[in-house]
Amino acid sequence: MIKNDVFVFITETIKHIKQTEDVSFIVGETLVADLCFDEIDMTHLIIECEEKFNILIDDSHIMSLKMVNDVVNYVYMEALTANQESLHDIS
């Protein structure tokens, strides 16, 4: 998996959640101020990421995910960690 895969999935999920085809948002956009995310939107995004990448995002980390880039980086690192752990379980 490459980081761009995570970025594409997250941006497509945000477009779906916000019901827009506008792709003008960038990684530097804040979820709340710029994209008008509320708790329901954030919960939806987190659940979609957890299911897609087979990860568990701890509730204590959710509040630190302020920008699109924060979500991309966090999900990517969690997915890498989960994939490494599953490889160790196989061997």
Side-chain angles (χ1 to χ4, degrees):
M1 169 189 20
I2 57 174
K3 197 173 194 177
N4 190 58
D5 296 337
V6 176
F7 173 75
V8 169
F9 177 79
I10 289 172
T11 55
E12 290 299 315
T13 302
I14 291 171
K15 287 181 356 186
H16 174 75
I17 291 169
K18 298 313 286 182
Q19 299 179 348
T20 182
E21 287 300 314
D22 183 10
V23 294
S24 63
F25 60 85
I26 57 171
V27 294
E29 298 281 340
T30 60
L31 294 166
V32 175
D34 297 324
L35 300 177
C36 301
F37 255 52
D38 59 21
E39 288 180 30
I40 295 170
D41 294 333
M42 191 61 166
T43 300
H44 188 172
L45 179 61
I46 295 301
I47 290 169
E48 292 292 325
C49 289
E50 288 177 332
E51 290 176 356
K52 170 71 174 177
F53 298 105
N54 197 30
I55 60 174
L56 182 60
I57 299 174
D58 190 275
D59 291 346
S60 65
H61 293 282
I62 293 173
M63 296 306 292
S64 69
L65 304 175
K66 307 258 184 236
M67 302 174 79
V68 174
N69 195 43
D70 295 337
V71 179
V72 171
N73 289 333
Y74 184 84
V75 169
Y76 178 69
M77 294 308 294
E78 288 296 309
L80 282 179
T81 301
N83 285 338
Q84 288 175 352
E85 287 174 2
S86 64
L87 288 175
H88 289 281
D89 290 342
I90 294 172
S91 49

